[in-house]
Amino acid sequence: MKKARKFFGAAAVTAVLLFSFVGCDMFTDDEVAVSSITLDSYLQMLNTNDTFTATATVLPSDADDKSVTWSTSDETIATVVDGVVSATGTGTAQITATAGSKSAVINVHVNDELEVIGTWYHADANWPEKWVVTDTTIEKHSSLASTTPDYSFTIIDYSNDGFNAGDTESSDCGYAVVKYATAPSYNDDADGYVVYRWKNLSTADGETQVDISEGYNSSYTDGAPTAAEAVANYSVSTSSFYSYTGSCVKQ
């Protein structure tokens, strides 16, 4: 009888252990993968030795692995350690944050300030419009007295050299890829991109002028292209634009 009890006791323990292992597999939750990562800015303008801290938001909040890996496209221009970006040279670098299979980018310009920052209005008084350009936004106003923009854009990236993407022309022309912050009435696609281009930037007799083109098309209402596609779409000629504002004067 003692031997039988030992046998049944061992069998019972084995059964419990087997059930425990099988039960663990049966009730293990599926892995929660990262669905998105966003950064708190698209663009930063820095001087050499400047630093800033980029903040990443990873979703969903219950993702199993929310760890973020940081990298730079060019360490001679900007480095990054745990989100802290340091300007080391001159030029443009892309800082990338990656979580799981998702990534987001900040474009960093060092010693390369956007050359059309300021308030601009039409040289032609028949067009009482103005554009307010900061280091991160462009606002379009329907009147010179306006303090509330008709629509506005967040600047994603820019170049001070070239009217077309990839140009290496003189610094009197450039372009900026922007994303709607508030969409205009003609396009309610808040995810759309627009390209602003300028040329003939000059100063004479104390007055600074520039020719500005605003680029958009109906395809944005069907689905916004990427920033790279937006640049490529408006890299042929001024005629590619639905709206060409002409000469503007800096206020």
Side-chain angles (χ1 to χ4, degrees):
M1 291 296 293
K2 288 183 180 180
K3 288 184 178 180
R5 281 199 297 270
K6 284 183 179 180
F7 173 79
F8 286 117
V13 170
T14 302
V16 169
L17 289 174
L18 284 172
F19 177 79
S20 298
F21 285 120
V22 172
C24 286
D25 281 340
M26 288 175 61
F27 297 105
T28 297
D29 292 334
D30 292 335
E31 180 181 354
V32 179
V34 171
S35 61
S36 69
I37 180 172
T38 57
L39 295 171
D40 54 344
S41 63
Y42 295 106
L43 175 70
Q44 287 285 336
M45 297 182 199
L46 304 174
N47 294 317
T48 303
N49 297 323
D50 283 352
T51 64
F52 79 94
T53 300
T55 301
T57 300
V58 178
L59 294 177
S61 58
D62 61 345
D64 286 349
D65 185 1
K66 295 174 64 180
S67 60
V68 178
T69 301
W70 298 88
S71 61
T72 178
S73 63
D74 193 333
E75 290 188 346
T76 66
I77 296 172
T79 61
V80 59
V81 177
D82 294 332
V84 179
V85 180
S86 302
T88 55
T90 295
T92 304
Q94 287 72 47
I95 301 299
T96 302
T98 302
S101 63
K102 307 299 181 180
S103 61
V105 174
I106 295 179
N107 293 299
V108 177
H109 288 251
V110 183
N111 301 327
D112 182 34
E113 184 178 78
L114 182 61
E115 63 188 3
V116 290
I117 289 176
T119 299
W120 303 84
Y121 61 91
H122 253 297
D124 184 347
N126 293 318
W127 295 88
E129 298 175 319
K130 73 175 178 181
W131 292 261
V132 180
V133 183
T134 72
D135 57 351
T136 57
T137 62
I138 296 177
E139 295 179 350
K140 175 74 174 292
H141 295 254
S142 59
S143 71
L144 302 184
S146 168
T147 57
T148 302
D150 292 63
Y151 49 94
S152 59
F153 303 99
T154 300
I155 301 173
I156 305 299
D157 201 9
Y158 65 88
S159 171
N160 289 320
D161 298 303
F163 196 61
N164 296 321
D167 282 354
T168 55
E169 299 177 12
S170 61
S171 59
D172 64 350
C173 57
Y175 60 87
V177 182
V178 299
K179 185 178 181 66
Y180 289 125
T182 55
S185 58
Y186 59 75
N187 186 352
D188 60 1
D189 183 0
D191 289 326
Y193 291 93
V194 169
V195 177
Y196 270 88
R197 299 194 294 177
W198 58 91
K199 64 180 181 179
N200 302 325
L201 179 62
S202 62
T203 300
D205 299 324
E207 184 176 81
T208 301
Q209 291 195 357
V210 70
D211 295 333
I212 296 178
S213 290
E214 176 191 36
Y216 59 91
N217 69 18
S218 58
S219 67
Y220 292 142
T221 61
D222 301 322
T226 65
E229 290 169 338
V231 172
N233 199 23
Y234 297 106
S235 294
V236 180
S237 68
T238 304
S239 61
S240 299
F241 290 81
Y242 280 2
S243 174
Y244 183 66
T245 67
S247 183
C248 295
V249 178
K250 194 171 186 179
Q251 198 170 49

